[in-house]
Amino acid sequence: MSYDAKHGTKVKLRSQLWFDNPDDPDMTALYIERYMNWGITREELQSGKPIIGIAQSGSDLSPCNRQHLILAQRIREGIREAGGIAFEFPVHPIQETGKRPTAMLDRNLAYLGLVETLFGYPIDGVVLTTGCDKTTPSQLMAAATVNIPAIALSVGPMLNGWYKGKRTGSGTIKWEAKKLKSAGKIDWKEYVEMVASSAPSPGFCNTMGTATTMNSLAEALGMMLPGSAAIPAVHKERGQMAYLTGKRIVEMVREDLKPSDIMTRAAFENAIVVCSAIGGSTNAPIHLNAVARHVGVKLDPDDWERIGHAIPLLVDMQPAGRFLGEDYHRAGGVPAVVAELIGAGKLPHPQAVTANGKTIGENCSGRFTGDREVIRAYDQPMLKDAGFLNLKGNLFDSAIMKTSVISESFRKRFLSNPKDPDAFEGKAVVFDGREDYHARLNDPSLGIDENTLMFIRGVGPIGYPGAAEVVNMQPPDALLKKGITELPCIGDGRQSGTSGSPSILNASPEAAAGGGLALLKTGDRVRIDLRKRAANILITEQELKSRQAALKTTLANGGLAYVPASQTPWQEIQRSMVDQMDAGMVLKPAVKYQDVAHKYRPPDNH
C-alpha cells in the first residue's frame, strides 16, 4: 500500500489490481502465477512494494543508447534499495544515424508502444531511459499521456572526439568534412577518418545537437535529477546517477508525483529559455510542442520566439561554438546555465517543481560554473538574442530560424545591406526532395551563384515521410572551391541539430499538405526579412491565386509527383493522421488521450 499525503488516506498501487485484488481472486491468480515463473515470489508481488518499469531504449540497433543496458543494473539496485521491484522492458528502437528513411518516422510509433505498455501492464512508476534524439521526446510524450510517476535518465554524451589535435564533434565534423571533400581538399579515406574520430565511446552526440538539447531540456523541465543530462555515458557519475534515479522513482510513486505535476506551462517556459541559452537544436520546438500537447499545455512557435528570442547564448559548444560534451559537463551542465539565468532574473519560473521534489530554483541557484570559457556569464554572452525566429508569409505559416548559428560570413553577404538590414532577396532554385537535390546540385544550368536561395520541398511529415534532416544543404562544389560555404537554405523538412547552417526550416504547412512551398518555381524571386519575420515569393496576387488554384487541382487528382508512395504500413498510417511540425508533428487523434491511468481502468484479459 502507498500513503497519499495529500488526502491522508491509504491508496492502492496500480500493480495491486493485477497481483493483489481480493475483489477478483480468479484474475489475481492468473496474473500472479505467470509473473512468478522466472523466480520472483508471491510474497514480493503482494508485498505492496511499487512495481517500477525500466523503459529500456538500449540495444545493438541503438548504439547511442546502448550504455543503458549497463546502466539498468544500477537503476535496478536503486529501485530495490528504496523498496521497489524493477520490471525492465524494451521500447521501440530509435537511432538517428541508423534508421532509413528517417528516425523521426519512429518517434510517434515508439510513443504509441510505450503508452500501451505503461497503461496496460502492472506498472506503478517508470524510469525513462533517454538519449538519442527521438528517444527522449517519445518517452516524455508517453509519460505525459499515461501520467503515472515517471523520471528520465539520460544515457549521456560520448567522450570528446579528437582529430589531429582538434576537437571533432559528432555531426558537426561531418558537415565540415563533406565541404572539404567537395572542395577537393581531402580524399574519401580522410573524410571517413575525420567523421569516425567524433565517436570515441558509447553515448549520444557530443555536440549541442538534438540529443544533448532534448536531454538538457528534459532536465530543465524537471523530469530528471539535477545535473543528470550532461554526464558522459562512460563516466562513473553516470552510474551513480542511475542508482539515484532508481531510488527516486520509488519515492515519487509514494508521493504520487506525476508528469502533470512537473510538466506545467511554467516548466515549458523555463525550458524554452534554457534552450536559447545553450544554443539548442531547431528540432526542440517540434519535440517540446509535442510533449506539451500530450500533457495538455498549449505551446506553439510564437511562444518560442516571444519567450526565448531575447535570451543570450551562454554555452560555447559546437555547432555554435568550440567545445563538446565533456567540457559542458565539467563546466556544470544545465544547473550552471540555470544559475546564470536565475542570477540575471531571466528564468521565468524558479518555483517550478522538479522530479526530486524541490523547485528548479532550489536545485540550481548559486551553482555557477568555474569555467567561464564554456559557460559564459549572463552579461558576457557569446551572442545576444540567441533564440529562434518564427517566420511567416505566403511560403508558409511558420518556419524556424536558429539565430545562434548565423556566421559572420553569412551575415555579411545576406544581412548587412545598410539600405535593407537583416533582409535579403534572391533567385530561388527549388529541389523536389533529397534525391533531386543530390542529383542536380552541381548542374551548371541551374545557375546557382553566391546570391541564390536554395529550397527543398516534399521532405516534411507527410512528404518524405517523417520529415527528413535534409534542409542543411551545401552549395555546389564550384562555389565551395571559391570559399563560399553557405547559402540561404529553406525547406519543409528538418536539419540535424549538429548542423551550423542558419537554415529556415520546419516549414508548416509542408508542400505535401498544400503549403506555399508547393507554389514556388525555380527562377522566382523570394524575399526574406528577419526584422519583419517575413518570407514571401515576390509574385502578384493574381499569379499567387492562379498557382493556388492549380495546386488544389493537383492535390485533388492524386497529389504531387515528388511525394513518394508509402513503403510500409506504418508510413501509410502515420501519414493519414500526422500533424504539421509547428503543432509538434503529433498524431492528431492521440492528443485527446490524457491522464489515462487515472481516467480509465483497463479491463481484465480473461
Side-chain angles (χ1 to χ4, degrees), residues 300-310 388-391 533:
D300 60 39
D302 284 332
D303 292 320
W304 284 80
E305 180 176 326
R306 179 178 57 82
I307 297 165
H309 179 243
F388 302 124
L389 300 180
N390 186 29
L391 280 67
R533 312 295 197 260

Side-chain angles (χ1 to χ4, degrees), residues 550-582:
L551 175 61
K552 185 176 181 180
T553 300
T554 299
L555 293 174
N557 292 334
L560 300 163
Y562 50 82
V563 174
S566 295
Q567 297 177 326
T568 66
W570 171 239
Q571 290 182 15
E572 181 176 343
I573 292 167
Q574 171 151 285
R575 279 173 145 171
S576 71
M577 62 181 70
V578 71
D579 216 332
Q580 292 294 293
M581 283 188 277
D582 61 341

Side-chain angles (χ1 to χ4, degrees), residues 155-171:
V155 76
M158 296 181 284
L159 299 178
N160 289 359
W162 295 89
Y163 186 78
K164 295 184 177 179
K166 295 183 179 181
R167 288 178 178 85
T168 55
S170 45

